[in-house]
Amino acid sequence: MKQNNQLGRKASRPYFAPGLAIGLAMAGVCLSAHAADAEPPLGVDVLEAGFKWRPNYVSEDMLLNAGKDANNWLHYGKDYQGTRFSQLTQITKENVKKLVPKWNLSFGVNDAQDSQTTVVNGRIYVTASQNKVFSLDGTTGRMLWKYERSLPGDLGPRLCCEAVNRGVAVFKDKVYLATLDGYVVALNNTTGKVEWEVKLADYKSGEIYTSMPLVAKGKVIVGNSGGDVGGNVGRITALDADTGKVVWETRTRPTDANDPAAKTWASDSWKTGGVSAWLTGTYDAKTNTVLWGAGNPTPDFDPAVRLGDNLYSNSTLALDADTGKLKFHFQYTPNDSWDYDGNNEVILVDDEKGRKVWLHGDRNGHLYSIDRNSGKCNWVVPLGRVNWVTGFGPNCRPIVNPDKVPRYDKVVTDIAPVLDGGKEWHPAAYSPQTKLVYVPFIDGSMDIQAKKQEWKRGEWFLSSKVLKANSYTGGVKAFNATSGELVWSRPQSTPATSGLLATAGGLVFSGDAEGYFSSMTDDTGETLWRFNVGTGIHGNPTTFTAGGKQYVAIVYGPGGGSLWPLVYDELFKHQNRGGGMMVFGLPD
């Protein structure tokens, strides 16, 4: 190396320019003035750097900008806004009819499947019932690793909705799973090895975890299930993503008589009131707010023993992401008498009037637009036939039809919608191209007779003598996200049992209980393509790229909780159980 007279270096001693030194260090070479027998740059006594190979690393920046990342699927709702919209355009209205199965993964279990994929740089992470996690090559389906959790043998009777799971979250080099036996587990994303696990609940009380965690501000946030079993208190818990240490926890109903919310529960009924937080929330990064749904109060069908609004049941809670402190809430169904959980997702939209809102399709049969900074309701419209309300008062507070409230002395018939809702938990989608929100809807009714029931820890707490679902159907509807106007409707012969996916290719994908995975146009709802996966679909579609090609994935497997087992009894005359994931793409 030539002498550099300007810097006064001697030819006998090698000189490493700062850029070269850093470049070598990034390649795995650790440099110092002593190790390399070189003088460091001016102003630096020791120059050192190291490099650790961390494939598929997910940074906080990636999570924040997931909505601008067409290739990956990093959140439950694709992005923090929960839009379930992909910018991918390889699959379009013109060529979607050419879609063919590329590969299929059998989960090896017969339980219901409620899951979906999480995808990082062509690598898929997907869960199955029984708390199985698979890591797969997105192009070929080759299994890279799997995690199978040993679950307690006495867990089954405490499960609401079979042994379901709705997916894993990703952050840095970890994959996060919330388990049926009450744990949050962090797995190494390359090997599947357990990095840490933290117990949050005692499953013997009926408290379990079924949904995908939300990662925000370096925290893994989870909500519990099991409020209907033993009236377990709903909890939203944030854990440090690196260590699993609990950072904060928010209860969704009172746990102290001095809490002002306790006054909304008559006769201390808050003590066994349920209100689990069993679906994944949304994060508003601009206001540092976590928006999370809270479920129904218990006992489910006997509102007379818990008169009052029963806060914060059937609500969306706005929480400070750093502390978990409640900022405000919006309640959809005060003193819920029909198991109309308020857990469903919210979609963050800036509408065409410039309002910053969340859109929410509720099980009570209505679609809402709510100001996401104040909790003020802009409008509410029915998703289908609804008769439990006669109208709405200020701030969209429902005016209850007394003829549809469950009673002890008779069966109240034809209550609409059915308890599975005008919309079940399966998530809606929003397209910024069409400015439409697409909602999987259910059209049906039920008969209920209430009964008095004594609360017992770990046992079902429904207080229903008669619970009957009448024949019901469903489909997909598209609403104007600014006005709530219905733009199009695509009915089907079975209830909507799948989440939705919207794409920049002008398409909306959905599945149904008969086993058809379908694609329709986003502007009119015309069905362009469908494929029979061989059994009912209860999971959510996603799309991603691998090897430069766009794929669409659907998790299939019938079942689930509530009244679905009764519905599937009829369908099983023409189909079999069995769960898995099928991935579709265009012909090579």
Side-chain angles (χ1 to χ4, degrees), residues 330-334 364-368 377 379-382 386 388-400:
F330 182 86
Q331 188 174 41
Y332 306 99
T333 316
N364 72 17
H366 296 89
L367 176 67
Y368 294 79
C377 182
W379 48 256
V380 55
V381 297
V386 179
W388 70 272
V389 294
T390 59
F392 289 88
N395 204 33
C396 302
R397 183 181 176 89
I399 301 170
V400 173

Side-chain angles (χ1 to χ4, degrees), residues 238-257:
L239 303 92
D240 182 276
D242 293 328
T243 66
K245 180 181 178 181
V246 173
V247 179
W248 55 257
E249 184 169 274
T250 298
R251 304 295 176 95
T252 58
R253 64 166 168 83
T255 55
D256 188 300

Side-chain angles (χ1 to χ4, degrees), residues 104-408:
N104 178 74
L105 170 72
S106 171
F107 289 156
V109 288
N110 284 330
D111 302 87
Q113 306 298 334
D114 289 355
S115 188
Q116 65 175 55
T117 68
T118 302
V119 185
V120 184
N121 300 330
R123 177 177 289 194
I124 294 174
Y125 303 100
V126 66
T127 63
S129 59
Q130 303 289 343
N131 285 154
K132 293 187 176 187
V133 184
F134 303 91
S135 174
L136 310 153
D137 181 285
T139 303
T140 65
R142 181 173 66 91
M143 191 180 300
L144 304 174
W145 56 259
K146 66 178 176 178
Y147 168 79
E148 297 182 283
R149 186 170 185 82
S150 178
L151 294 171
D154 59 346
L155 179 63
R158 295 167 172 83
L159 300 179
C160 154
C161 312
E162 299 192 38
V164 299
N165 185 272
R166 295 185 176 87
V168 289
V170 290
F171 183 51
K172 296 184 178 179
D173 52 7
K174 294 182 179 65
V175 175
Y176 301 94
L177 170 74
T179 74
L180 291 165
D181 56 340
Y183 286 78
V184 175
V185 181
L187 306 173
N188 183 282
N189 71 351
T190 304
T191 65
K193 178 184 176 182
V194 175
E195 298 284 350
W196 54 256
E197 65 175 42
V198 174
K199 184 177 180 179
L200 294 183
D202 176 10
Y203 75 89
K204 292 184 178 180
S205 72
E207 185 178 3
I208 60 173
Y209 287 82
T210 61
S211 288
M212 180 189 292
L214 169 71
V215 176
K217 294 291 291 289
K219 304 175 189 67
V220 181
I221 307 173
V222 294
N224 67 344
S225 302
D228 294 330
V229 183
N232 288 295
V233 62
R235 298 190 293 158
I236 304 164
T237 307
L239 303 92
D240 182 276
D242 293 328
T243 66
K245 180 181 178 181
V246 173
V247 179
W248 55 257
E249 184 169 274
T250 298
R251 304 295 176 95
T252 58
R253 64 166 168 83
T255 55
D256 188 300
N258 295 320
D259 186 333
K263 297 178 181 179
T264 68
W265 297 75
S267 306
D268 290 339
S269 54
W270 54 268
K271 293 181 179 179
T272 56
V275 194
S276 58
W278 56 271
L279 273 183
T280 308
T282 304
Y283 177 56
D284 187 344
K286 292 183 179 179
T287 61
N288 196 36
T289 303
V290 171
L291 298 165
W292 207 283
N296 63 282
T298 55
D300 296 42
F301 304 108
D302 186 6
V305 301
R306 47 173 173 79
L307 294 177
D309 284 357
N310 305 154
L311 293 176
Y312 294 96
S313 68
N314 294 67
S315 301
T316 295
L317 308 183
L319 308 175
D320 182 279
D322 294 327
T323 65
K325 182 179 179 181
L326 179 67
K327 294 182 176 182
F328 61 88
H329 75 283
F330 182 86
Q331 188 174 41
Y332 306 99
T333 316
N335 192 233
D336 176 21
S337 306
W338 311 274
D339 195 11
Y340 290 154
D341 276 335
N343 296 92
N344 287 355
E345 78 291 341
V346 299
I347 303 175
L348 310 187
V349 173
D350 293 352
D351 70 19
E352 292 184 293
K353 289 186 177 181
R355 297 176 298 196
K356 297 183 181 301
V357 308
W358 79 61
L359 303 173
H360 171 88
D362 198 79
R363 279 172 62 165
N364 72 17
H366 296 89
L367 176 67
Y368 294 79
S369 170
I370 308 294
D371 186 292
R372 65 176 184 260
N373 292 321
S374 67
K376 181 176 182 277
C377 182
N378 297 313
W379 48 256
V380 55
V381 297
L383 292 168
R385 178 171 171 261
V386 179
N387 63 21
W388 70 272
V389 294
T390 59
F392 289 88
N395 204 33
C396 302
R397 183 181 176 89
I399 301 170
V400 173
N401 180 354
D403 294 335
K404 298 302 178 183
V405 176
R407 297 171 53 170
Y408 299 128

